Amino acid sequence: MLKTNAFMEAAFEEARAAGERGEVPIGAVIVHGNEIISRAGNETRALNDVSAHAEVLAIRRAAQVLSDERLIDADLYVTLEPCTMCAAAISFARIRRLYYAARDAKGGAVESGVRFYTQPTCHHAPEVYSGIRETEAADMLRDFFREKRD
Amino acid sequence: MLKTNAFMEAAFEEARAAGERGEVPIGAVIVHGNEIISRAGNETRALNDVSAHAEVLAIRRAAQVLSDERLIDADLYVTLEPCTMCAAAISFARIRRLYYAARDAKGGAVESGVRFYTQPTCHHAPEVYSGIRETEAADMLRDFFREKRD
C-alpha cells in the first residue's frame, strides 16, 4: 500500500471511530516527515465545541507535537472536503498539502462554496488533492445520517 | 452607558489585555440573558493554536457555560471583523447578533472577502451590526503592528 493510501486509511479509521461515538463520521490525520504526528475524529458533541471538527483538532494536536502553531511541511488527510472554518484554519496553519476524499457541495469551502483558497483574503493555500476513496467516504456519511433519522 | 456600549467596552478590555500579552490585540465577549457569559482575547501564541482567535475561544467558553454547543439567543461582540474561520464558527454556534468594531478588508469575511453570511453554504447567519468604535479598534491594531516592526 502506498504511503498516501495508508495515511488516508488512517483518516478513515478516525472517521469510523467518530461514527461509533455518535459523532459525525469525519476523520483527519496530519503527516510530517512521512509519519503521522496527529489524528482526530469529529468531537463536537463530546466537547460541546462547534470548532472541534476533525481538521481543527488534528491541527491543534500537531502544533503541540511540533511546538509551533505553523505546521510547515505538514500534510493533512481528511475524509470530507473541509468546511469554511476548517479551510481557513488549514490556511492559517500553513499546511503544505491537503488530501480529501468526498466533496461536500453543501458545506465545503475548497472546490465548493466560498472556494477559500482562490480568494484574495486567503494568504496561504495548500496544494489540494481530492477524490481519493470519495464514494466510500460519502457512503459512510449518508449511512450515518440515515441511521440517525430512522 | 448603554448596555451595548458596555459589552463592546468589555471586548476592548480583552483586546488591550491580549496586546499586553504580546498577542494580536483583538477581544470578544458573548452576551446571553443581558449578561456577559464568556470573554476572550487572542491566544494563538500562548496556546500554539491557530484556532485560538478571540471569537472561537469565547464561543468555546460560552458553550461550556450553557452546556450546549449551540448558543441560542447569544450575541457576540468583537473588536475586529471576524475572519473566514471565525465567521463560520459564529454561524455554527447559531449566534443571534454579531457586533464588531473595525472592518478588516485584508482578512475579514463578513462585509469583506468571502462575505460568508451571504453564501449558499452558510446555513445560519447572525444579524450584523458594525462600525462601533471602529477607528479606535483599527488604531489599536495599527499601533501594535507598528511597535512590533520597530
Side-chain angles (χ1 to χ4, degrees), chain A residues 95-124:
Chain A
I95 292 286
R96 179 177 61 178
R97 295 186 191 119
L98 165 65
Y99 298 82
Y100 64 84
R103 179 177 184 172
D104 182 6
K106 202 175 150 195
V110 179
E111 59 183 308
S112 312
V114 304
R115 294 179 175 76
F116 184 57
Y117 302 135
T118 69
Q119 300 290 339
T121 49
C122 172
H123 307 297
H124 166 87

PDB file of all heavy atoms in Angstrom, chain A residues 95-124:
ATOM      1  N   ILE A  95      -0.525  24.519   6.233  1.00  0.00           N
ATOM      2  CA  ILE A  95      -0.470  23.135   5.742  1.00  0.00           C
ATOM      3  C   ILE A  95       0.016  23.136   4.284  1.00  0.00           C
ATOM      4  O   ILE A  95      -0.441  23.954   3.478  1.00  0.00           O
ATOM      5  CB  ILE A  95      -1.876  22.489   5.860  1.00  0.00           C
ATOM      6  CG1 ILE A  95      -2.257  22.293   7.337  1.00  0.00           C
ATOM      7  CG2 ILE A  95      -1.967  21.193   5.059  1.00  0.00           C
ATOM      8  CD1 ILE A  95      -1.549  21.178   8.050  1.00  0.00           C
ATOM      9  N   ARG A  96       0.940  22.206   3.972  1.00  0.00           N
ATOM     10  CA  ARG A  96       1.540  22.164   2.638  1.00  0.00           C
ATOM     11  C   ARG A  96       0.617  21.527   1.611  1.00  0.00           C
ATOM     12  O   ARG A  96       0.360  22.083   0.551  1.00  0.00           O
ATOM     13  CB  ARG A  96       2.847  21.374   2.718  1.00  0.00           C
ATOM     14  CG  ARG A  96       3.563  21.228   1.399  1.00  0.00           C
ATOM     15  CD  ARG A  96       4.878  20.492   1.569  1.00  0.00           C
ATOM     16  NE  ARG A  96       4.683  19.129   2.085  1.00  0.00           N
ATOM     17  CZ  ARG A  96       5.675  18.261   2.286  1.00  0.00           C
ATOM     18  NH1 ARG A  96       6.932  18.613   2.051  1.00  0.00           N
ATOM     19  NH2 ARG A  96       5.420  17.057   2.761  1.00  0.00           N
ATOM     20  N   ARG A  97       0.121  20.336   1.946  1.00  0.00           N
ATOM     21  CA  ARG A  97      -0.751  19.619   1.012  1.00  0.00           C
ATOM     22  C   ARG A  97      -1.997  19.150   1.741  1.00  0.00           C
ATOM     23  O   ARG A  97      -1.917  18.663   2.869  1.00  0.00           O
ATOM     24  CB  ARG A  97      -0.058  18.385   0.424  1.00  0.00           C
ATOM     25  CG  ARG A  97       1.120  18.728  -0.440  1.00  0.00           C
ATOM     26  CD  ARG A  97       1.693  17.488  -1.135  1.00  0.00           C
ATOM     27  NE  ARG A  97       2.966  17.832  -1.745  1.00  0.00           N
ATOM     28  CZ  ARG A  97       4.143  17.273  -1.441  1.00  0.00           C
ATOM     29  NH1 ARG A  97       4.211  16.292  -0.556  1.00  0.00           N
ATOM     30  NH2 ARG A  97       5.238  17.696  -2.022  1.00  0.00           N
ATOM     31  N   LEU A  98      -3.129  19.309   1.089  1.00  0.00           N
ATOM     32  CA  LEU A  98      -4.415  18.870   1.627  1.00  0.00           C
ATOM     33  C   LEU A  98      -4.953  17.774   0.733  1.00  0.00           C
ATOM     34  O   LEU A  98      -5.108  17.975  -0.478  1.00  0.00           O
ATOM     35  CB  LEU A  98      -5.387  20.057   1.637  1.00  0.00           C
ATOM     36  CG  LEU A  98      -6.878  19.716   1.838  1.00  0.00           C
ATOM     37  CD1 LEU A  98      -7.114  19.114   3.218  1.00  0.00           C
ATOM     38  CD2 LEU A  98      -7.728  20.972   1.640  1.00  0.00           C
ATOM     39  N   TYR A  99      -5.196  16.600   1.320  1.00  0.00           N
ATOM     40  CA  TYR A  99      -5.797  15.473   0.602  1.00  0.00           C
ATOM     41  C   TYR A  99      -7.181  15.245   1.200  1.00  0.00           C
ATOM     42  O   TYR A  99      -7.285  15.099   2.425  1.00  0.00           O
ATOM     43  CB  TYR A  99      -4.996  14.188   0.820  1.00  0.00           C
ATOM     44  CG  TYR A  99      -3.571  14.211   0.315  1.00  0.00           C
ATOM     45  CD1 TYR A  99      -2.551  14.789   1.075  1.00  0.00           C
ATOM     46  CD2 TYR A  99      -3.227  13.629  -0.898  1.00  0.00           C
ATOM     47  CE1 TYR A  99      -1.242  14.802   0.629  1.00  0.00           C
ATOM     48  CE2 TYR A  99      -1.904  13.636  -1.352  1.00  0.00           C
ATOM     49  CZ  TYR A  99      -0.917  14.222  -0.584  1.00  0.00           C
ATOM     50  OH  TYR A  99       0.391  14.227  -1.022  1.00  0.00           O
ATOM     51  N   TYR A 100      -8.221  15.203   0.377  1.00  0.00           N
ATOM     52  CA  TYR A 100      -9.512  14.827   0.943  1.00  0.00           C
ATOM     53  C   TYR A 100     -10.258  13.873   0.034  1.00  0.00           C
ATOM     54  O   TYR A 100      -9.981  13.788  -1.164  1.00  0.00           O
ATOM     55  CB  TYR A 100     -10.362  16.040   1.321  1.00  0.00           C
ATOM     56  CG  TYR A 100     -10.803  16.951   0.213  1.00  0.00           C
ATOM     57  CD1 TYR A 100     -11.946  16.675  -0.537  1.00  0.00           C
ATOM     58  CD2 TYR A 100     -10.110  18.116  -0.058  1.00  0.00           C
ATOM     59  CE1 TYR A 100     -12.375  17.528  -1.531  1.00  0.00           C
ATOM     60  CE2 TYR A 100     -10.529  18.969  -1.053  1.00  0.00           C
ATOM     61  CZ  TYR A 100     -11.656  18.673  -1.793  1.00  0.00           C
ATOM     62  OH  TYR A 100     -12.065  19.527  -2.788  1.00  0.00           O
ATOM     63  N   ALA A 101     -11.186  13.133   0.650  1.00  0.00           N
ATOM     64  CA  ALA A 101     -11.916  12.084  -0.063  1.00  0.00           C
ATOM     65  C   ALA A 101     -13.146  12.679  -0.754  1.00  0.00           C
ATOM     66  O   ALA A 101     -13.062  13.105  -1.908  1.00  0.00           O
ATOM     67  CB  ALA A 101     -12.294  10.960   0.915  1.00  0.00           C
ATOM     68  N   ALA A 102     -14.273  12.745  -0.046  1.00  0.00           N
ATOM     69  CA  ALA A 102     -15.519  13.172  -0.693  1.00  0.00           C
ATOM     70  C   ALA A 102     -15.649  14.690  -0.774  1.00  0.00           C
ATOM     71  O   ALA A 102     -15.171  15.425   0.091  1.00  0.00           O
ATOM     72  CB  ALA A 102     -16.710  12.601   0.082  1.00  0.00           C
ATOM     73  N   ARG A 103     -16.306  15.125  -1.821  1.00  0.00           N
ATOM     74  CA  ARG A 103     -16.660  16.535  -1.968  1.00  0.00           C
ATOM     75  C   ARG A 103     -17.869  16.840  -1.079  1.00  0.00           C
ATOM     76  O   ARG A 103     -18.710  15.961  -0.859  1.00  0.00           O
ATOM     77  CB  ARG A 103     -17.023  16.780  -3.427  1.00  0.00           C
ATOM     78  CG  ARG A 103     -17.442  18.192  -3.715  1.00  0.00           C
ATOM     79  CD  ARG A 103     -17.715  18.395  -5.205  1.00  0.00           C
ATOM     80  NE  ARG A 103     -18.035  19.792  -5.440  1.00  0.00           N
ATOM     81  CZ  ARG A 103     -18.173  20.333  -6.636  1.00  0.00           C
ATOM     82  NH1 ARG A 103     -18.015  19.603  -7.720  1.00  0.00           N
ATOM     83  NH2 ARG A 103     -18.464  21.623  -6.766  1.00  0.00           N
ATOM     84  N   ASP A 104     -17.977  18.066  -0.578  1.00  0.00           N
ATOM     85  CA  ASP A 104     -19.145  18.462   0.216  1.00  0.00           C
ATOM     86  C   ASP A 104     -19.766  19.709  -0.400  1.00  0.00           C
ATOM     87  O   ASP A 104     -19.426  20.838  -0.032  1.00  0.00           O
ATOM     88  CB  ASP A 104     -18.732  18.722   1.674  1.00  0.00           C
ATOM     89  CG  ASP A 104     -19.929  19.077   2.544  1.00  0.00           C
ATOM     90  OD1 ASP A 104     -21.074  19.010   2.053  1.00  0.00           O
ATOM     91  OD2 ASP A 104     -19.715  19.435   3.713  1.00  0.00           O
ATOM     92  N   ALA A 105     -20.689  19.486  -1.320  1.00  0.00           N
ATOM     93  CA  ALA A 105     -21.298  20.608  -2.048  1.00  0.00           C
ATOM     94  C   ALA A 105     -22.079  21.525  -1.112  1.00  0.00           C
ATOM     95  O   ALA A 105     -22.178  22.729  -1.342  1.00  0.00           O
ATOM     96  CB  ALA A 105     -22.213  20.080  -3.151  1.00  0.00           C
ATOM     97  N   LYS A 106     -22.610  20.953  -0.018  1.00  0.00           N
ATOM     98  CA  LYS A 106     -23.489  21.723   0.877  1.00  0.00           C
ATOM     99  C   LYS A 106     -22.708  22.578   1.881  1.00  0.00           C
ATOM    100  O   LYS A 106     -23.164  23.648   2.290  1.00  0.00           O
ATOM    101  CB  LYS A 106     -24.377  20.731   1.646  1.00  0.00           C
ATOM    102  CG  LYS A 106     -25.639  21.333   2.195  1.00  0.00           C
ATOM    103  CD  LYS A 106     -26.528  20.279   2.837  1.00  0.00           C
ATOM    104  CE  LYS A 106     -27.347  20.877   3.953  1.00  0.00           C
ATOM    105  NZ  LYS A 106     -27.942  19.878   4.827  1.00  0.00           N
ATOM    106  N   GLY A 107     -21.531  22.087   2.295  1.00  0.00           N
ATOM    107  CA  GLY A 107     -20.807  22.831   3.326  1.00  0.00           C
ATOM    108  C   GLY A 107     -19.334  23.027   3.055  1.00  0.00           C
ATOM    109  O   GLY A 107     -18.642  23.680   3.827  1.00  0.00           O
ATOM    110  N   GLY A 108     -18.827  22.474   1.967  1.00  0.00           N
ATOM    111  CA  GLY A 108     -17.395  22.554   1.670  1.00  0.00           C
ATOM    112  C   GLY A 108     -16.966  23.959   1.270  1.00  0.00           C
ATOM    113  O   GLY A 108     -17.805  24.796   0.917  1.00  0.00           O
ATOM    114  N   ALA A 109     -15.637  24.188   1.325  1.00  0.00           N
ATOM    115  CA  ALA A 109     -15.133  25.529   1.028  1.00  0.00           C
ATOM    116  C   ALA A 109     -13.847  25.487   0.222  1.00  0.00           C
ATOM    117  O   ALA A 109     -13.109  26.464   0.150  1.00  0.00           O
ATOM    118  CB  ALA A 109     -14.899  26.290   2.329  1.00  0.00           C
ATOM    119  N   VAL A 110     -13.570  24.310  -0.411  1.00  0.00           N
ATOM    120  CA  VAL A 110     -12.358  24.204  -1.232  1.00  0.00           C
ATOM    121  C   VAL A 110     -12.744  24.248  -2.709  1.00  0.00           C
ATOM    122  O   VAL A 110     -12.438  25.222  -3.395  1.00  0.00           O
ATOM    123  CB  VAL A 110     -11.569  22.930  -0.871  1.00  0.00           C
ATOM    124  CG1 VAL A 110     -10.319  22.805  -1.743  1.00  0.00           C
ATOM    125  CG2 VAL A 110     -11.191  22.940   0.612  1.00  0.00           C
ATOM    126  N   GLU A 111     -13.453  23.217  -3.183  1.00  0.00           N
ATOM    127  CA  GLU A 111     -13.967  23.262  -4.563  1.00  0.00           C
ATOM    128  C   GLU A 111     -15.437  23.678  -4.577  1.00  0.00           C
ATOM    129  O   GLU A 111     -16.007  23.941  -5.638  1.00  0.00           O
ATOM    130  CB  GLU A 111     -13.781  21.912  -5.266  1.00  0.00           C
ATOM    131  CG  GLU A 111     -14.470  20.749  -4.573  1.00  0.00           C
ATOM    132  CD  GLU A 111     -14.216  19.395  -5.258  1.00  0.00           C
ATOM    133  OE1 GLU A 111     -14.438  19.286  -6.468  1.00  0.00           O
ATOM    134  OE2 GLU A 111     -13.796  18.460  -4.543  1.00  0.00           O
ATOM    135  N   SER A 112     -16.055  23.740  -3.388  1.00  0.00           N
ATOM    136  CA  SER A 112     -17.457  24.147  -3.248  1.00  0.00           C
ATOM    137  C   SER A 112     -17.508  25.489  -2.511  1.00  0.00           C
ATOM    138  O   SER A 112     -16.491  25.964  -2.013  1.00  0.00           O
ATOM    139  CB  SER A 112     -18.232  23.103  -2.420  1.00  0.00           C
ATOM    140  OG  SER A 112     -17.973  21.794  -2.884  1.00  0.00           O
ATOM    141  N   GLY A 113     -18.695  26.041  -2.439  1.00  0.00           N
ATOM    142  CA  GLY A 113     -18.941  27.213  -1.594  1.00  0.00           C
ATOM    143  C   GLY A 113     -17.998  28.370  -1.878  1.00  0.00           C
ATOM    144  O   GLY A 113     -17.851  28.783  -3.028  1.00  0.00           O
ATOM    145  N   VAL A 114     -17.343  28.857  -0.849  1.00  0.00           N
ATOM    146  CA  VAL A 114     -16.531  30.082  -0.984  1.00  0.00           C
ATOM    147  C   VAL A 114     -15.191  29.849  -1.676  1.00  0.00           C
ATOM    148  O   VAL A 114     -14.473  30.805  -1.952  1.00  0.00           O
ATOM    149  CB  VAL A 114     -16.296  30.770   0.388  1.00  0.00           C
ATOM    150  CG1 VAL A 114     -17.623  31.069   1.083  1.00  0.00           C
ATOM    151  CG2 VAL A 114     -15.384  29.942   1.292  1.00  0.00           C
ATOM    152  N   ARG A 115     -14.849  28.571  -1.956  1.00  0.00           N
ATOM    153  CA  ARG A 115     -13.557  28.251  -2.613  1.00  0.00           C
ATOM    154  C   ARG A 115     -12.451  29.122  -2.015  1.00  0.00           C
ATOM    155  O   ARG A 115     -11.805  29.904  -2.710  1.00  0.00           O
ATOM    156  CB  ARG A 115     -13.665  28.468  -4.123  1.00  0.00           C
ATOM    157  CG  ARG A 115     -14.626  27.491  -4.804  1.00  0.00           C
ATOM    158  CD  ARG A 115     -14.727  27.746  -6.318  1.00  0.00           C
ATOM    159  NE  ARG A 115     -15.556  26.746  -6.966  1.00  0.00           N
ATOM    160  CZ  ARG A 115     -16.891  26.716  -6.899  1.00  0.00           C
ATOM    161  NH1 ARG A 115     -17.552  27.640  -6.220  1.00  0.00           N
ATOM    162  NH2 ARG A 115     -17.557  25.755  -7.512  1.00  0.00           N
ATOM    163  N   PHE A 116     -12.250  28.960  -0.722  1.00  0.00           N
ATOM    164  CA  PHE A 116     -11.418  29.912   0.018  1.00  0.00           C
ATOM    165  C   PHE A 116     -10.013  30.079  -0.554  1.00  0.00           C
ATOM    166  O   PHE A 116      -9.464  31.185  -0.543  1.00  0.00           O
ATOM    167  CB  PHE A 116     -11.339  29.508   1.503  1.00  0.00           C
ATOM    168  CG  PHE A 116     -10.574  30.487   2.352  1.00  0.00           C
ATOM    169  CD1 PHE A 116     -10.954  31.822   2.411  1.00  0.00           C
ATOM    170  CD2 PHE A 116      -9.460  30.092   3.079  1.00  0.00           C
ATOM    171  CE1 PHE A 116     -10.252  32.742   3.176  1.00  0.00           C
ATOM    172  CE2 PHE A 116      -8.746  31.001   3.849  1.00  0.00           C
ATOM    173  CZ  PHE A 116      -9.140  32.329   3.896  1.00  0.00           C
ATOM    174  N   TYR A 117      -9.431  28.990  -1.054  1.00  0.00           N
ATOM    175  CA  TYR A 117      -8.018  29.090  -1.484  1.00  0.00           C
ATOM    176  C   TYR A 117      -7.817  29.907  -2.749  1.00  0.00           C
ATOM    177  O   TYR A 117      -6.686  30.194  -3.133  1.00  0.00           O
ATOM    178  CB  TYR A 117      -7.408  27.688  -1.622  1.00  0.00           C
ATOM    179  CG  TYR A 117      -7.496  26.915  -0.316  1.00  0.00           C
ATOM    180  CD1 TYR A 117      -7.914  25.588  -0.282  1.00  0.00           C
ATOM    181  CD2 TYR A 117      -7.187  27.521   0.896  1.00  0.00           C
ATOM    182  CE1 TYR A 117      -8.012  24.891   0.923  1.00  0.00           C
ATOM    183  CE2 TYR A 117      -7.289  26.839   2.095  1.00  0.00           C
ATOM    184  CZ  TYR A 117      -7.707  25.523   2.096  1.00  0.00           C
ATOM    185  OH  TYR A 117      -7.808  24.852   3.284  1.00  0.00           O
ATOM    186  N   THR A 118      -8.918  30.282  -3.391  1.00  0.00           N
ATOM    187  CA  THR A 118      -8.824  31.131  -4.590  1.00  0.00           C
ATOM    188  C   THR A 118      -9.114  32.597  -4.257  1.00  0.00           C
ATOM    189  O   THR A 118      -9.166  33.434  -5.162  1.00  0.00           O
ATOM    190  CB  THR A 118      -9.843  30.686  -5.664  1.00  0.00           C
ATOM    191  OG1 THR A 118     -11.170  30.989  -5.179  1.00  0.00           O
ATOM    192  CG2 THR A 118      -9.752  29.190  -5.940  1.00  0.00           C
ATOM    193  N   GLN A 119      -9.326  32.912  -2.984  1.00  0.00           N
ATOM    194  CA  GLN A 119      -9.784  34.252  -2.597  1.00  0.00           C
ATOM    195  C   GLN A 119      -8.622  35.174  -2.216  1.00  0.00           C
ATOM    196  O   GLN A 119      -7.635  34.717  -1.637  1.00  0.00           O
ATOM    197  CB  GLN A 119     -10.715  34.157  -1.383  1.00  0.00           C
ATOM    198  CG  GLN A 119     -11.954  33.316  -1.618  1.00  0.00           C
ATOM    199  CD  GLN A 119     -12.936  33.980  -2.566  1.00  0.00           C
ATOM    200  OE1 GLN A 119     -12.893  35.191  -2.751  1.00  0.00           O
ATOM    201  NE2 GLN A 119     -13.794  33.183  -3.164  1.00  0.00           N
ATOM    202  N   PRO A 120      -8.770  36.462  -2.475  1.00  0.00           N
ATOM    203  CA  PRO A 120      -7.729  37.430  -2.084  1.00  0.00           C
ATOM    204  C   PRO A 120      -7.500  37.500  -0.569  1.00  0.00           C
ATOM    205  O   PRO A 120      -6.414  37.881  -0.134  1.00  0.00           O
ATOM    206  CB  PRO A 120      -8.259  38.778  -2.593  1.00  0.00           C
ATOM    207  CG  PRO A 120      -9.366  38.460  -3.522  1.00  0.00           C
ATOM    208  CD  PRO A 120      -9.874  37.099  -3.218  1.00  0.00           C
ATOM    209  N   THR A 121      -8.498  37.140   0.246  1.00  0.00           N
ATOM    210  CA  THR A 121      -8.284  37.170   1.701  1.00  0.00           C
ATOM    211  C   THR A 121      -7.648  35.874   2.209  1.00  0.00           C
ATOM    212  O   THR A 121      -7.457  35.720   3.413  1.00  0.00           O
ATOM    213  CB  THR A 121      -9.608  37.428   2.470  1.00  0.00           C
ATOM    214  OG1 THR A 121     -10.616  36.553   1.981  1.00  0.00           O
ATOM    215  CG2 THR A 121     -10.041  38.877   2.334  1.00  0.00           C
ATOM    216  N   CYS A 122      -7.277  34.970   1.318  1.00  0.00           N
ATOM    217  CA  CYS A 122      -6.532  33.766   1.699  1.00  0.00           C
ATOM    218  C   CYS A 122      -5.053  34.034   1.439  1.00  0.00           C
ATOM    219  O   CYS A 122      -4.663  34.289   0.296  1.00  0.00           O
ATOM    220  CB  CYS A 122      -7.006  32.571   0.881  1.00  0.00           C
ATOM    221  SG  CYS A 122      -5.970  31.112   1.143  1.00  0.00           S
ATOM    222  N   HIS A 123      -4.245  33.955   2.488  1.00  0.00           N
ATOM    223  CA  HIS A 123      -2.838  34.347   2.355  1.00  0.00           C
ATOM    224  C   HIS A 123      -1.892  33.151   2.295  1.00  0.00           C
ATOM    225  O   HIS A 123      -0.683  33.324   2.198  1.00  0.00           O
ATOM    226  CB  HIS A 123      -2.474  35.326   3.479  1.00  0.00           C
ATOM    227  CG  HIS A 123      -3.426  36.487   3.528  1.00  0.00           C
ATOM    228  ND1 HIS A 123      -3.550  37.390   2.494  1.00  0.00           N
ATOM    229  CD2 HIS A 123      -4.352  36.861   4.456  1.00  0.00           C
ATOM    230  CE1 HIS A 123      -4.493  38.273   2.795  1.00  0.00           C
ATOM    231  NE2 HIS A 123      -5.005  37.972   3.969  1.00  0.00           N
ATOM    232  N   HIS A 124      -2.404  31.949   2.407  1.00  0.00           N
ATOM    233  CA  HIS A 124      -1.617  30.729   2.126  1.00  0.00           C
ATOM    234  C   HIS A 124      -2.591  29.655   1.667  1.00  0.00           C
ATOM    235  O   HIS A 124      -3.561  29.362   2.372  1.00  0.00           O
ATOM    236  CB  HIS A 124      -0.876  30.234   3.376  1.00  0.00           C
ATOM    237  CG  HIS A 124      -0.363  28.826   3.210  1.00  0.00           C
ATOM    238  ND1 HIS A 124       0.853  28.541   2.639  1.00  0.00           N
ATOM    239  CD2 HIS A 124      -0.925  27.623   3.493  1.00  0.00           C
ATOM    240  CE1 HIS A 124       1.030  27.216   2.601  1.00  0.00           C
ATOM    241  NE2 HIS A 124      -0.034  26.633   3.113  1.00  0.00           N
TER     242      HIS A 124
END
